[in-house]
Amino acid sequence: MRINHNIQALNAYRNLAANQSSISKNLERLSSGLRINRAADDAAGLAISEKMRSQIRGLQMAERNALDAISLIQTAEGALNEVHSILQRMRELAVQAANDTLEPSDRAAIQAEVDQLTKEIDRIADTTQFNQKILFSGSPEGKAFAETRSSAISYVGNGTWQGVVTAKPTNPAEFVLDFSRGFGMLSQDEIDKKTFTINGKVYEIDAKGDGISDTGHIAVNVTWNDNATDDSDAVANINSLLDALKNAILNNDSTFDSTSSVVGASDNNDNNDAIITNGQLRLVTAKPMSPKEANGINVSYDFDPTTEVKSLIVVEEQALVPETFTLTFSDVPKNGDVLKIDNLTIMFSDSMESGYSPSQGQGTATIDVRGKTVFDVLNDIEQVLEAAKADGTHQPVQALTGFSVVGNSLILSTDRTDDGGLFGSSNGLEFQIIDSDFEENKGKSLKLEMQIGANESETLEFELSVMDAASLGLARTADHKTPLSAGVNAQAGIDVSSSAQAASAAITVIDQAINTVSEERGKLGAIQNRLEHTINNLTTANENLTSAESRIRDTDMAMEMAEFTKNNILTQAAQAMLAQSNQLPQGILQLLKS
């Protein structure tokens, strides 16, 4: 018998600890409903379960994708249903116009309706959208490798979008009228009835006190020394006019703020040296103005600008708050595509290595797009912009305040305000996209790819044909005879008014258009039916895979409760045995008593 080591107690304690650990796991599984709460519970099972979860969630999203695809098809098919109705009405009108009981005026009335119906087909093709994706204008006009929603940038033809992005002004403009000594030396006769035209209002000087010449003018009543002989006389005359003109302008034009001020003319110590400090009227606008807005405030006068009065506009070309716009890349640029930002031209190539090349006030860069993703190209663009921004010698991107890349978007900002200059000669941030093969894609079908599976390449591809009036063979120029190529550009409808024979020929053309729309609707209906089967399959696969994942991950509550009950009883028994084993060393006391 031993005192220092109670082996029986240690054995009971070990079993008690193991039972309590088992109970803890039983309680965790029962309370969470999961058999695997951590990787240690079943490492292999966790790995299998997570793969199944990826598939399950992928199947759920694929089912939603398929439902969205059906919604898109239903939207398209609904629009074509109306096109069918329009075509049936046009055929009815053509049959009517082919009857020789009609007079030319009757056919003209029929032609007017046909023209409007043709333009409505174009409108439907141009405006039928699903999630802002235009469905029937083809592959598509207005869709380049990148696009921006900035209203300052627009399509100018030949696959080119361009514009000037500017910030809203945050500083007022200042108009300065500078009066020199020659003005102050003029006589009353020379100054009386002379005018200043500022912001469309005419201010007329009344130096003699006999009134102004035109009732539409605003009087500037001034006290004038008619016999100015030295510098002090000139200074007094100028300052008198400055105060009177300022008051007249502020009283009659709310464009200018009360902070407008007069900087009076002054003379040095020599009154006869014909040298004075010019007087100035500084008119400050009440609201912030860009150079373009300031230039819209015309300032003119009847005086000699070389010796008497000069005018100057002081306006900030930079704003305190920059304007930001986003360029979103939907595809990798192709060989020959171009992106111009300020005076930096970025060319995309599949045969030249990437690099930046500066020149005076300009910059060019080449980005190699071979084997790259959109994100790779955006990273290259960001590096080019960093190099151009750091080029303090040539400064090709002076108007670019900041830039960053977020996802598949390039975010640009500028603090330059609008000076009214056209693209190529403006103060703002000039921007241009050239998609080299954009025009080649006009009129092609819109290709769509639907992700209808949980894994890569599990897709459904289909096309939406161009359904504008030109593609249906119905669009004509204003003469009703010359056909137009693909595009929402119908000027008139097919000829049904020139003769019965022309109307009869139109019936065949309209029949062909009806057949084209019928084929497109039939194709869309078949795809919709296929997608409905796809959804049923996805739902079944999702259900079965969820069941399999549940068997791995979820707790069998009945079995776990039985296990919990067993472990609970064992724990209680182990506690009792631990108490008993703790009493065993007491027997040594009996030996000591003897």
Side-chain angles (χ1 to χ4, degrees), residues 550-569:
S550 175
R551 285 192 295 272
I552 296 172
R553 200 74 173 245
D554 290 346
T555 298
D556 184 331
M557 300 296 285
M559 185 177 69
E560 198 65 39
M561 194 65 202
E563 187 71 18
F564 169 75
T565 302
K566 181 192 76 173
N567 289 331
N568 193 27
I569 294 172

Side-chain angles (χ1 to χ4, degrees), residues 242-444:
L242 285 173
D243 290 331
L245 183 58
K246 172 194 169 186
N247 292 334
I249 293 172
L250 293 184
N251 288 335
N252 290 278
D253 195 339
S254 60
T255 302
F256 301 104
D257 190 71
S258 58
T259 56
S260 300
S261 61
V262 167
V263 179
S266 60
D267 186 27
N268 55 19
N269 294 327
D270 189 344
N271 193 33
N272 296 303
D273 62 358
I275 299 175
I276 68 169
T277 299
N278 293 354
Q280 292 183 342
L281 173 59
R282 310 181 76 88
L283 298 171
V284 180
T285 59
K287 68 171 187 176
M289 281 193 177
S290 66
K292 179 181 179 181
E293 293 171 317
N295 288 330
I297 298 179
N298 181 53
V299 177
S300 61
Y301 37 80
D302 292 340
F303 299 97
D304 185 349
T306 60
T307 60
E308 297 171 354
V309 182
K310 294 181 181 179
S311 64
L312 174 69
I313 300 177
V314 180
V315 60
E316 290 289 340
E317 293 186 341
Q318 292 168 276
L320 298 176
V321 180
E323 175 74 11
T324 299
F325 70 102
T326 300
L327 178 66
T328 302
F329 281 68
S330 57
D331 199 2
V332 176
K334 300 171 291 298
N335 182 51
D337 290 347
V338 175
L339 174 63
K340 183 177 185 292
I341 300 173
D342 202 13
N343 289 315
L344 172 66
T345 301
I346 301 174
M347 297 174 291
F348 301 98
S349 172
D350 59 7
S351 60
M352 298 176 64
E353 295 297 328
S354 300
Y356 167 68
S357 176
S359 59
Q360 189 59 44
Q362 304 286 326
T364 57
T366 301
I367 292 180
D368 183 3
V369 295
R370 288 173 289 184
K372 292 184 177 178
T373 66
V374 166
F375 305 103
D376 295 332
V377 171
L378 279 168
N379 183 58
D380 290 343
I381 293 173
E382 187 174 27
Q383 292 178 8
V384 167
L385 290 175
E386 287 173 354
K389 198 70 177 173
D391 185 0
T393 303
H394 304 96
Q395 300 181 328
V397 288
Q398 291 188 71
L400 182 64
T401 304
F403 57 90
S404 62
V405 172
V406 178
N408 65 333
S409 297
L410 175 64
I411 302 173
L412 305 170
S413 62
T414 181
D415 60 3
R416 296 301 180 94
T417 54
D418 186 7
D419 66 348
L422 299 176
F423 182 85
S425 60
S426 67
N427 173 61
L429 177 62
E430 295 187 349
F431 183 84
Q432 184 181 64
I433 297 173
I434 300 176
D435 192 313
S436 58
D437 65 352
F438 171 77
E439 289 293 327
E440 298 174 9
N441 288 330
K442 286 177 64 175
K444 290 185 179 179

Side-chain angles (χ1 to χ4, degrees), residues 82-83 85-87 89-91 93 110-126 467-477 480 482-484 487-496 506 509-510 513:
E82 197 57 39
V83 172
S85 299
I86 291 172
L87 292 174
R89 175 57 178 164
M90 289 174 69
R91 190 183 191 282
L93 291 170
I110 294 172
Q111 184 69 66
E113 184 175 352
V114 169
D115 290 350
Q116 291 302 315
L117 292 173
T118 303
K119 292 178 180 178
E120 179 60 17
I121 291 175
D122 265 358
R123 192 198 67 80
I124 291 172
D126 193 40
M467 287 287 130
D468 54 47
S471 299
L472 293 175
L474 303 174
R476 300 290 186 271
T477 57
H480 297 98
T482 307
L484 292 169
V488 181
N489 53 14
Q491 300 174 20
I494 191 169
D495 179 24
V496 295
V509 176
I510 296 171

